[in-house]
Amino acid sequence: MTAPTLIIGYGNPSRGDDALGPAAIEAIERLAAGHPEWGDVETVTDFQLQIEFVTDLAGRERIVFIDAAANGTEPFFFGPLVAKEDASISSHALSPAALLAVYRNFHGEDAPPAFLLGIRGYDFDLGVPLSPQAEKNLAAALSTVEKWLSTHCTAGCHA
C-alpha cells in the first residue's frame, strides 16, 4: 500500500549545508513515531531529483520536497508547487516543478498536491558540517512541517 504522504529530501551530505534535505528526513523519521495523526508517511533521500521519482509520486495525497536553498527566504520557505517545464527537464537532475511536469506528461493528469520546503543554507563546501545558522533554520523548518503534517495544511505555510 502506498503511504498517502511522501517526503523527499535531497542534497549531498558531504557538502555542508547541502545536507539540509537528508538531515530533515532523518529528523522527520525520528518525530513520526510520536505523531500517529500524521498517518502513513514515506520518506526518501537522494543526492538529487531524477526522472525515476515520477513513479514514486503516484497514488499520494500530498508530497513534500525538501532541499537546501543557497539564497532567498530565511529561515526557510514552505509553499505549494506548480508543474513547470524548465531547463532541468532535459538534464539528469530535475527541479521539483519539472518533475511534476514529467508526471503530468507521463500520467496524463496533474500530480497530487506538492510543496517545496527550501531551507536556507550558507556553507556548501565539501567536507564541512552543517553551519550553525543552517541548523537553526532546520529546527524552525521542522517545527512548521510538524504542525503542517498534524493539521493537514494544504495551502502552504510560511516561516
Side-chain angles (χ1 to χ4, degrees):
M1 184 172 141
T2 302
T5 301
L6 173 65
I7 305 176
I8 303 172
Y10 53 101
N12 186 339
S14 298
R15 296 198 71 86
D17 294 347
D18 199 37
L20 283 164
I25 293 298
E26 289 175 13
I28 289 166
E29 289 171 346
R30 286 190 303 270
L31 291 168
H35 290 283
E37 75 276 10
W38 291 1
D40 291 333
V41 175
E42 182 179 346
T43 57
V44 176
T45 61
D46 209 328
F47 282 86
Q48 60 194 9
L49 295 178
Q50 300 175 40
I51 198 166
E52 292 83 3
F53 279 110
V54 75
T55 58
D56 294 314
L57 307 182
R60 309 295 180 162
E61 292 178 15
R62 58 190 178 176
I63 302 159
V64 179
F65 296 94
I66 305 176
D67 191 17
N71 51 48
T73 304
E74 294 184 22
F76 65 90
F77 172 79
F78 186 45
L81 280 167
V82 176
K84 180 182 178 196
E85 292 186 14
D86 59 26
S88 74
I89 204 139
S90 62
S91 71
H92 184 65
L94 297 173
S95 71
L99 184 59
L100 297 178
V102 170
Y103 181 97
R104 184 177 54 213
N105 291 337
F106 184 77
H107 290 284
E109 63 185 22
D110 286 335
F115 300 83
L116 175 63
L117 173 59
I119 306 171
R120 183 69 163 86
Y122 308 91
D123 187 351
F124 295 85
D125 288 337
L126 185 62
V128 300
L130 285 178
S131 67
Q133 187 59 43
E135 287 184 13
K136 289 179 186 174
N137 294 350
L138 174 60
L142 287 170
S143 177
T144 292
V145 168
E146 191 172 5
K147 290 174 194 163
W148 182 82
L149 286 168
S150 295
T151 61
H152 306 289
C153 172
T154 58
C157 308
H158 298 274

